[in-house]
Amino acid sequence: MSYLDDLRRRINRDDGKLFQVGNRPIGWAEGTGNLLFIGGIFLWQLHREAGVSGIWAISAASLGVLLCILGNVRK
Protein backbone atom coordinates (compact mmCIF):
# COMPACT_ATOMS: atom_id res chain seq x y z
CA MET A 1 0.00 0.00 0.00
CA SER A 2 1.41 3.34 -0.98
CA TYR A 3 1.78 6.27 1.36
CA LEU A 4 -1.12 8.17 -0.23
CA ASP A 5 -3.45 5.15 -0.02
CA ASP A 6 -2.59 4.75 3.64
CA LEU A 7 -3.10 8.45 4.28
CA ARG A 8 -6.52 8.42 2.56
CA ARG A 9 -7.56 5.33 4.53
CA ARG A 10 -6.59 6.99 7.81
CA ILE A 11 -8.32 10.27 6.93
CA ASN A 12 -11.51 8.57 5.77
CA ARG A 13 -12.01 6.58 8.94
CA ASP A 14 -15.39 7.35 10.41
CA ASP A 15 -14.59 8.52 13.92
CA GLY A 16 -15.86 12.08 13.48
CA LYS A 17 -12.49 13.66 14.22
CA LEU A 18 -11.19 14.25 10.70
CA PHE A 19 -12.63 15.44 7.41
CA GLN A 20 -13.51 12.97 4.68
CA VAL A 21 -11.23 13.14 1.66
CA GLY A 22 -12.15 11.43 -1.57
CA ASN A 23 -12.91 11.79 -5.24
CA ARG A 24 -16.30 12.83 -6.52
CA PRO A 25 -17.60 13.31 -10.03
CA ILE A 26 -17.38 16.83 -11.42
CA GLY A 27 -20.22 18.01 -13.65
CA TRP A 28 -19.81 19.92 -16.89
CA ALA A 29 -20.71 23.27 -15.30
CA GLU A 30 -18.17 22.93 -12.51
CA GLY A 31 -15.43 21.69 -14.85
CA THR A 32 -16.06 24.49 -17.34
CA GLY A 33 -16.16 27.00 -14.51
CA ASN A 34 -12.81 25.86 -13.18
CA LEU A 35 -11.25 26.14 -16.63
CA LEU A 36 -12.74 29.60 -17.18
CA PHE A 37 -11.53 30.77 -13.78
CA ILE A 38 -7.99 29.58 -14.44
CA GLY A 39 -8.14 31.09 -17.92
CA GLY A 40 -9.32 34.39 -16.44
CA ILE A 41 -6.38 34.43 -14.03
CA PHE A 42 -4.05 33.64 -16.91
CA LEU A 43 -5.54 36.45 -19.01
CA TRP A 44 -5.30 38.85 -16.09
CA GLN A 45 -1.57 38.20 -15.84
CA LEU A 46 -0.94 38.43 -19.57
CA HIS A 47 -3.68 40.71 -20.91
CA ARG A 48 -1.25 43.39 -22.10
CA GLU A 49 0.92 40.87 -23.95
CA ALA A 50 -2.14 39.11 -25.38
CA GLY A 51 -3.59 42.37 -26.61
CA VAL A 52 -6.97 42.00 -24.93
CA SER A 53 -8.73 44.27 -22.48
CA GLY A 54 -8.61 43.51 -18.77
CA ILE A 55 -12.41 43.37 -18.72
CA TRP A 56 -12.22 40.07 -20.63
CA ALA A 57 -10.09 38.59 -17.87
CA ILE A 58 -12.44 39.82 -15.15
CA SER A 59 -15.54 38.61 -16.97
CA ALA A 60 -14.05 35.17 -17.71
CA ALA A 61 -12.99 34.69 -14.09
CA SER A 62 -16.36 35.91 -12.80
CA LEU A 63 -18.26 33.60 -15.13
CA GLY A 64 -16.01 30.74 -14.06
CA VAL A 65 -16.71 31.33 -10.38
CA LEU A 66 -20.44 31.55 -11.08
CA LEU A 67 -20.39 28.25 -12.99
CA CYS A 68 -18.41 26.58 -10.20
CA ILE A 69 -20.99 27.70 -7.66
CA LEU A 70 -23.90 26.62 -9.85
CA GLY A 71 -22.24 23.29 -10.57
CA ASN A 72 -21.87 22.60 -6.84
CA VAL A 73 -25.41 23.69 -5.95
CA ARG A 74 -27.11 21.35 -8.38
CA LYS A 75 -25.73 18.23 -6.69
Side-chain angles (χ1 to χ4, degrees):
M1 183 181 306
S2 73
Y3 173 74
L4 293 177
D5 289 336
D6 185 44
L7 179 65
R8 178 176 284 174
R9 185 181 51 79
R10 288 188 324 193
I11 290 174
N12 283 340
R13 67 177 187 249
D14 192 17
D15 60 359
K17 293 181 181 176
L18 299 173
F19 294 104
Q20 184 173 2
V21 175
N23 297 329
R24 64 174 176 85
I26 295 176
W28 69 269
E30 191 175 0
T32 306
N34 285 328
L35 290 175
L36 274 173
F37 181 68
I38 291 170
I41 292 173
F42 183 74
L43 274 178
W44 180 255
Q45 295 296 317
L46 300 174
H47 71 276
R48 288 190 182 131
E49 287 80 10
V52 295
S53 175
I55 197 73
W56 286 103
I58 293 170
S59 61
S62 300
L63 182 63
V65 168
L66 181 65
L67 281 175
C68 285
I69 292 171
L70 289 176
N72 262 341
V73 169
R74 289 186 178 181
K75 293 183 181 191

